[in-house]
Structure formats: structure tokens, C-alpha cells
Amino acid sequence: MFPTLQDLLGWGPPIDTHSVFVGLAMLAAGLVFVVESRRRGQTDTRVAALVLGALAGAAIFSRLGTWAQHLDPSQNLDLVTQLTRGNASVLSALVGAWLGVHVAKRIVKYPMRTGDLFAPAVALAMVIGRFGCLFTELPGTPTGADWGIVLDEAAAAKLGGPAGVPLHPSFVYEIAFQAAAFVALWFWLRHKPIAAGETLTIYIAAYAIFRFFVEFVRGNEVAWMGLTRPQMFLLLTVPLLVARLAWKASRGRLAANRERMAVDGARS
């Protein structure tokens, strides 16, 4: 594949490809976040602390989420090595970002809900960041379709996949999903009468369901009963997310009050 930008473009410095796309993703997410926070009038300086909390939580938990992969502790990396060079998980990063925001809110005493600010920013960041995964990681499991990604011997040996066999472009599937999610969030849901913060819950629930099914073609290690570790995590969290949305909807708490909609309409 293309581990460095030089490999990808054929010129330029040998900078890590995945890191470049992560950086671009963070920049795009930051711009979207600023635009949406201004539109909603949430320009309190304390919001910056929430962003820092989200970034810190995501950075830490993205590594911790893949730490205890083996029941035998001796087979896992030590904590320092895991935090600096261990595998990262997007699902764990999302959990860490959520926790980081809530911790930061407690510290700076910020009372308002902020999920609506983060939802479109996260979706766009995922679109861009997954290009980095597409160019550097194992595409997926074998597929009979001719449009699958075929690895040569060198790439197959490095990524641990089969050579000369069409593989599911699982990251392309995710890029398409995240792009559709961003469009839905930015051009539709953010203008709908949804209770404060709930667009993030809707987006995360939709992504969790999508991710559970796309895992079948991702090529991740099967851990138990034909399921990967992310799927096992999602089996626990998806029902909780769906139940939360159903509970709120059944009590009429998923819709925004008219006063809040009037304020948001005036600001936009």
C-alpha cells in the first residue's frame, strides 16, 4: 500500500500517510465545529476546554481500547508501549472523546449540551481519516467481486492479507457511510426540531449499527463465536443507544422545545 505520502503521490517527503490524513481530518473537524458553535451561539470561551477534553480522551482511550486483547496479561503490551505505539481503535476514541467532554464540563462548569456541535465535525473527520486507513491498512476480507482491492506480494506480506485476491474495500464503504452521515447532519438534521445534543446520539447509534455489519468484511481478527472484538463491544452498546433514543422518543423528549428552535432560527 502507501505507508508514506511519498509512496502515495510519487514525490514529496516520506511523511506517514495515515498521520497526514488524521491531521487533515482534525483541521476539517475544527472548522465545522467553529461554524456550528457560532451558528448556535455557543461561543463561550469554555467550549475550547471541551474540545481539548475530547481530544485528550480520544487520544488516550483510542489506545487503551485495544490494550487487553488477551486474557493472559503477559501477552499484552505494557501500558507505556500501548499508549505510545499500540493499535488504535476508532470506537474506543469515540468513547474517550465523550468521557473527555463530560470531564471537561465538570471542571469548567459548562452547563449546555454540545453534542450537536460535535456530530457533523466527527462525521467529516471520519470521512477524511478513513482515507488514511484505506491507503495504509488491510482493505478487508476476500470478495468474489471484480472491483475488490488486489494486493501484490509485498503489500500482502506487510498487511497480513492474501495476495492476488480481490478484497472488500471496507474503508470505502465506511467513507461512503460517513459522507452520507455528514450530509444528513449538516443539511437536514441540524435544522430539525431535535432536542439539544441528540443529533450526536442519533449519529453514533447509526454508525454503531453500520460498523457492526461492516465488521464482517473488515478483516479484523475473529475473537469469539465468529465475532470480532469491535462487534462484541457493539453488541453491548448498540441496544443501549437504541433504547435511549426509543425511551426519549416515547416521552416526547427527543424533540426540541419551540423556544429553543426560535432562538436557533434567529441565530442562523
Side-chain angles (χ1 to χ4, degrees):
M1 301 295 278
F2 310 99
T4 70
L5 210 58
Q6 190 177 69
D7 298 315
L8 177 63
L9 302 176
W11 56 272
I15 303 174
D16 180 70
T17 301
H18 192 273
S19 297
V20 169
F21 279 92
V22 169
L24 292 173
M26 298 305 295
L27 177 61
L31 292 174
V32 168
F33 186 91
V34 168
V35 170
E36 187 63 355
S37 63
R38 288 180 176 176
R39 188 185 79 89
R40 292 180 179 270
Q42 292 183 247
T43 55
D44 190 308
T45 55
R46 291 175 292 178
V47 171
L50 308 188
V51 174
L52 292 177
L55 292 175
I60 295 171
F61 276 79
S62 66
R63 305 283 188 181
L64 287 180
T66 62
W67 183 24
Q69 297 188 35
H70 306 283
L71 294 178
D72 181 1
S74 65
Q75 297 183 36
N76 298 317
L77 298 174
D78 63 84
L79 181 58
V80 174
T81 303
Q82 179 65 33
L83 289 175
T84 54
R85 299 199 301 273
N87 293 328
S89 164
V90 167
L91 295 176
S92 298
L94 290 174
V95 173
W98 179 82
L99 289 172
V101 169
H102 282 275
V103 170
K105 279 186 175 181
R106 294 265 184 171
I107 294 173
V108 301
K109 296 180 172 58
Y110 187 78
M112 297 181 67
R113 300 194 66 184
T114 54
D116 301 319
L117 309 182
F118 283 100
V122 171
L124 184 58
M126 293 284 279
V127 172
I128 299 171
R130 281 312 194 193
F131 275 101
C133 300
L134 175 65
F135 294 137
T136 59
E137 299 182 22
L138 182 67
T141 58
T143 174
D146 294 335
W147 40 261
I149 297 176
V150 179
L151 302 177
D152 58 26
E153 293 289 347
K158 184 172 184 178
L159 299 176
V165 178
L167 304 175
H168 276 286
S170 64
F171 294 115
V172 174
Y173 304 157
E174 185 155 350
I175 289 168
F177 171 85
Q178 297 293 352
F182 174 74
V183 170
L185 287 164
W186 193 252
F187 296 103
W188 181 44
L189 288 178
R190 69 201 279 256
H191 304 294
K192 291 294 181 181
I194 299 173
E198 294 303 326
T199 53
L200 180 63
T201 308
I202 294 171
Y203 162 66
I204 293 297
Y207 174 55
I209 294 170
F210 166 83
R211 178 62 186 271
F212 179 85
F213 288 104
V214 84
E215 272 292 308
F216 287 112
V217 298
R218 273 284 298 270
N220 286 329
E221 179 186 2
V222 173
W224 181 69
M225 293 185 65
L227 300 177
T228 65
R229 291 182 180 85
Q231 286 176 314
M232 293 166 61
F233 171 76
L234 292 168
L235 275 179
L236 299 175
T237 52
V238 168
L240 294 176
L241 288 167
V242 174
R244 182 182 187 278
L245 289 171
W247 181 80
K248 286 228 169 189
S250 68
R251 286 160 176 74
R253 297 173 61 180
L254 199 57
N257 58 57
R258 293 183 178 180
E259 290 78 7
R260 175 59 186 269
M261 287 297 296
V263 172
D264 283 346
R267 285 169 177 163
S268 51

